[in-house]
Tab-separated table of all heavy atoms in Angstrom:
chain	number	residue	atom	x	y	z
A	1321	LEU	N	-42.578	86.902	-52.648
A	1321	LEU	CA	-43.224	85.625	-52.369
A	1321	LEU	C	-44.720	85.806	-52.161
A	1321	LEU	O	-45.540	85.042	-52.661
A	1321	LEU	CB	-42.600	84.986	-51.126
A	1321	LEU	CG	-43.219	83.682	-50.641
A	1321	LEU	CD1	-43.092	82.625	-51.726
A	1321	LEU	CD2	-42.560	83.231	-49.360
A	1322	ARG	N	-45.133	86.863	-51.435
A	1322	ARG	CA	-46.550	87.097	-51.205
A	1322	ARG	C	-47.268	87.457	-52.500
A	1322	ARG	O	-48.395	87.052	-52.743
A	1322	ARG	CB	-46.718	88.230	-50.173
A	1322	ARG	CG	-46.288	87.838	-48.767
A	1322	ARG	CD	-46.942	88.753	-47.760
A	1322	ARG	NE	-46.614	90.158	-47.993
A	1322	ARG	CZ	-45.580	90.789	-47.442
A	1322	ARG	NH1	-44.789	90.131	-46.637
A	1322	ARG	NH2	-45.362	92.068	-47.687
A	1323	GLN	N	-46.592	88.250	-53.384
A	1323	GLN	CA	-47.230	88.634	-54.636
A	1323	GLN	C	-47.402	87.432	-55.548
A	1323	GLN	O	-48.421	87.286	-56.228
A	1323	GLN	CB	-46.387	89.716	-55.333
A	1323	GLN	CG	-46.400	91.051	-54.583
A	1323	GLN	CD	-45.453	92.063	-55.197
A	1323	GLN	OE1	-44.636	91.706	-56.045
A	1323	GLN	NE2	-45.574	93.306	-54.774
A	1324	GLU	N	-46.375	86.572	-55.579
A	1324	GLU	CA	-46.469	85.411	-56.464
A	1324	GLU	C	-47.508	84.425	-55.961
A	1324	GLU	O	-48.228	83.803	-56.726
A	1324	GLU	CB	-45.102	84.724	-56.568
A	1324	GLU	CG	-44.071	85.576	-57.319
A	1324	GLU	CD	-42.703	84.902	-57.328
A	1324	GLU	OE1	-42.567	83.870	-56.657
A	1324	GLU	OE2	-41.800	85.412	-58.002
A	1325	SER	N	-47.579	84.229	-54.680
A	1325	SER	CA	-48.516	83.248	-54.137
A	1325	SER	C	-49.923	83.787	-54.004
A	1325	SER	O	-50.874	83.024	-53.870
A	1325	SER	CB	-48.033	82.779	-52.757
A	1325	SER	OG	-47.955	83.897	-51.900
A	1326	ASP	N	-50.057	85.168	-54.049
A	1326	ASP	CA	-51.360	85.819	-53.953
A	1326	ASP	C	-52.100	85.346	-52.707
A	1326	ASP	O	-53.278	85.014	-52.737
A	1326	ASP	CB	-52.202	85.543	-55.198
A	1326	ASP	CG	-53.391	86.501	-55.260
A	1326	ASP	OD1	-53.302	87.597	-54.635
A	1326	ASP	OD2	-54.376	86.154	-55.929
A	1327	GLU	N	-51.338	85.280	-51.568
A	1327	GLU	CA	-51.917	84.830	-50.313
A	1327	GLU	C	-51.917	85.989	-49.329
A	1327	GLU	O	-51.098	86.912	-49.413
A	1327	GLU	CB	-51.101	83.666	-49.726
A	1327	GLU	CG	-51.228	82.371	-50.526
A	1327	GLU	CD	-52.623	81.834	-50.459
A	1327	GLU	OE1	-53.316	82.099	-49.462
A	1327	GLU	OE2	-53.039	81.160	-51.414
A	1328	PRO	N	-52.769	86.004	-48.358
A	1328	PRO	CA	-52.828	87.086	-47.380
A	1328	PRO	C	-51.643	87.068	-46.434
A	1328	PRO	O	-50.968	86.055	-46.285
A	1328	PRO	CB	-54.139	86.800	-46.630
A	1328	PRO	CG	-54.344	85.349	-46.794
A	1328	PRO	CD	-53.815	85.004	-48.148
A	1329	GLU	N	-51.400	88.217	-45.778
A	1329	GLU	CA	-50.278	88.336	-44.843
A	1329	GLU	C	-50.463	87.450	-43.621
A	1329	GLU	O	-49.505	87.159	-42.915
A	1329	GLU	CB	-50.168	89.806	-44.411
A	1329	GLU	CG	-49.065	90.111	-43.391
A	1329	GLU	CD	-47.698	89.787	-43.946
A	1329	GLU	OE1	-47.544	89.774	-45.175
A	1329	GLU	OE2	-46.778	89.567	-43.145
A	1330	THR	N	-51.685	87.011	-43.392
A	1330	THR	CA	-51.946	86.202	-42.209
A	1330	THR	C	-51.379	84.806	-42.321
A	1330	THR	O	-51.575	83.987	-41.446
A	1330	THR	CB	-53.466	86.078	-41.984
A	1330	THR	OG1	-54.079	85.623	-43.186
A	1330	THR	CG2	-54.051	87.420	-41.593
A	1331	GLN	N	-50.690	84.527	-43.407
A	1331	GLN	CA	-50.082	83.199	-43.527
A	1331	GLN	C	-49.125	82.974	-42.360
A	1331	GLN	O	-48.379	83.863	-41.972
A	1331	GLN	CB	-49.299	83.073	-44.829
A	1331	GLN	CG	-50.166	82.920	-46.065
A	1331	GLN	CD	-49.303	82.829	-47.292
A	1331	GLN	OE1	-48.273	83.453	-47.368
A	1331	GLN	NE2	-49.739	82.048	-48.242
A	1332	SER	N	-49.117	81.748	-41.864
A	1332	SER	CA	-48.175	81.403	-40.810
A	1332	SER	C	-46.793	81.187	-41.397
A	1332	SER	O	-46.634	81.023	-42.604
A	1332	SER	CB	-48.632	80.126	-40.089
A	1332	SER	OG	-48.585	79.046	-40.987
A	1333	VAL	N	-45.817	81.169	-40.523
A	1333	VAL	CA	-44.451	80.923	-40.979
A	1333	VAL	C	-44.347	79.549	-41.624
A	1333	VAL	O	-43.644	79.344	-42.612
A	1333	VAL	CB	-43.479	81.030	-39.775
A	1333	VAL	CG1	-42.077	80.664	-40.202
A	1333	VAL	CG2	-43.510	82.433	-39.190
A	1334	THR	N	-45.073	78.598	-41.100
A	1334	THR	CA	-45.047	77.251	-41.674
A	1334	THR	C	-45.516	77.257	-43.119
A	1334	THR	O	-44.941	76.606	-43.991
A	1334	THR	CB	-45.939	76.320	-40.847
A	1334	THR	OG1	-45.497	76.363	-39.502
A	1334	THR	CG2	-45.857	74.900	-41.362
A	1335	GLU	N	-46.594	78.031	-43.402
A	1335	GLU	CA	-47.109	78.080	-44.777
A	1335	GLU	C	-46.110	78.742	-45.711
A	1335	GLU	O	-45.919	78.327	-46.855
A	1335	GLU	CB	-48.441	78.827	-44.784
A	1335	GLU	CG	-49.542	78.094	-44.012
A	1335	GLU	CD	-50.770	78.969	-43.813
A	1335	GLU	OE1	-50.699	80.159	-44.165
A	1335	GLU	OE2	-51.778	78.460	-43.299
A	1336	ARG	N	-45.438	79.809	-45.213
A	1336	ARG	CA	-44.455	80.475	-46.061
A	1336	ARG	C	-43.286	79.550	-46.364
A	1336	ARG	O	-42.745	79.536	-47.469
A	1336	ARG	CB	-43.982	81.739	-45.340
A	1336	ARG	CG	-45.078	82.796	-45.192
A	1336	ARG	CD	-44.708	83.830	-44.169
A	1336	ARG	NE	-43.451	84.472	-44.518
A	1336	ARG	CZ	-42.710	85.170	-43.648
A	1336	ARG	NH1	-43.101	85.267	-42.401
A	1336	ARG	NH2	-41.603	85.739	-44.037
A	1337	ILE	N	-42.885	78.776	-45.351
A	1337	ILE	CA	-41.805	77.804	-45.585
A	1337	ILE	C	-42.232	76.781	-46.622
A	1337	ILE	O	-41.483	76.385	-47.520
A	1337	ILE	CB	-41.429	77.102	-44.268
A	1337	ILE	CG1	-40.822	78.123	-43.315
A	1337	ILE	CG2	-40.469	75.961	-44.513
A	1337	ILE	CD1	-40.568	77.584	-41.930
A	1338	THR	N	-43.484	76.338	-46.517
A	1338	THR	CA	-43.995	75.359	-47.469
A	1338	THR	C	-44.003	75.909	-48.885
A	1338	THR	O	-43.617	75.238	-49.850
A	1338	THR	CB	-45.408	74.927	-47.071
A	1338	THR	OG1	-45.369	74.435	-45.733
A	1338	THR	CG2	-45.916	73.837	-47.992
A	1339	LEU	N	-44.457	77.155	-49.044
A	1339	LEU	CA	-44.481	77.764	-50.375
A	1339	LEU	C	-43.084	77.858	-50.957
A	1339	LEU	O	-42.853	77.556	-52.130
A	1339	LEU	CB	-45.124	79.154	-50.291
A	1339	LEU	CG	-46.634	79.183	-49.982
A	1339	LEU	CD1	-47.086	80.608	-49.759
A	1339	LEU	CD2	-47.422	78.541	-51.115
A	1340	ARG	N	-42.150	78.304	-50.111
A	1340	ARG	CA	-40.773	78.390	-50.588
A	1340	ARG	C	-40.233	77.019	-50.955
A	1340	ARG	O	-39.558	76.856	-51.967
A	1340	ARG	CB	-39.915	79.017	-49.487
A	1340	ARG	CG	-38.417	78.970	-49.798
A	1340	ARG	CD	-38.055	79.823	-51.005
A	1340	ARG	NE	-38.198	81.241	-50.708
A	1340	ARG	CZ	-38.012	82.188	-51.598
A	1340	ARG	NH1	-37.713	81.875	-52.845
A	1340	ARG	NH2	-38.159	83.453	-51.261
A	1341	LYS	N	-40.565	76.015	-50.153
A	1341	LYS	CA	-40.070	74.665	-50.432
A	1341	LYS	C	-40.666	74.114	-51.718
A	1341	LYS	O	-39.987	73.484	-52.526
A	1341	LYS	CB	-40.401	73.740	-49.259
A	1341	LYS	CG	-39.780	72.359	-49.395
A	1341	LYS	CD	-39.880	71.593	-48.099
A	1341	LYS	CE	-39.151	70.265	-48.212
A	1341	LYS	NZ	-39.195	69.502	-46.962
A	1342	GLU	N	-41.970	74.358	-51.935
A	1342	GLU	CA	-42.598	73.876	-53.163
A	1342	GLU	C	-41.990	74.555	-54.384
A	1342	GLU	O	-41.771	73.930	-55.431
A	1342	GLU	CB	-44.107	74.132	-53.103
A	1342	GLU	CG	-44.829	73.273	-52.076
A	1342	GLU	CD	-46.296	73.628	-51.988
A	1342	GLU	OE1	-46.704	74.632	-52.624
A	1342	GLU	OE2	-47.044	72.900	-51.301
A	1343	GLU	N	-41.695	75.865	-54.239
A	1343	GLU	CA	-41.082	76.575	-55.359
A	1343	GLU	C	-39.710	75.995	-55.666
A	1343	GLU	O	-39.350	75.772	-56.823
A	1343	GLU	CB	-40.967	78.057	-55.010
A	1343	GLU	CG	-40.362	78.908	-56.138
A	1343	GLU	CD	-40.200	80.350	-55.689
A	1343	GLU	OE1	-39.877	80.560	-54.504
A	1343	GLU	OE2	-40.375	81.243	-56.516
A	1344	THR	N	-38.923	75.708	-54.594
A	1344	THR	CA	-37.584	75.129	-54.788
A	1344	THR	C	-37.669	73.746	-55.393
A	1344	THR	O	-36.902	73.366	-56.279
A	1344	THR	CB	-36.849	75.062	-53.438
A	1344	THR	OG1	-36.823	76.363	-52.868
A	1344	THR	CG2	-35.426	74.569	-53.621
A	1345	GLU	N	-38.629	72.939	-54.908
A	1345	GLU	CA	-38.761	71.579	-55.437
A	1345	GLU	C	-39.153	71.592	-56.912
A	1345	GLU	O	-38.653	70.797	-57.705
A	1345	GLU	CB	-39.801	70.817	-54.612
A	1345	GLU	CG	-39.325	70.474	-53.214
A	1345	GLU	CD	-40.409	69.786	-52.420
A	1345	GLU	OE1	-41.556	69.716	-52.937
A	1345	GLU	OE2	-40.128	69.302	-51.312
Side-chain angles (χ1 to χ4, degrees):
L1321 176 61
R1322 290 201 302 269
Q1323 291 174 348
E1324 291 176 354
S1325 60
D1326 195 23
E1327 290 294 332
E1329 178 62 24
T1330 52
Q1331 285 179 325
S1332 65
V1333 175
T1334 304
E1335 295 169 354
R1336 293 164 58 198
I1337 294 173
T1338 304
L1339 291 173
R1340 172 65 69 183
K1341 187 168 185 179
E1342 291 176 353
E1343 181 183 36
T1344 304
E1345 289 177 353

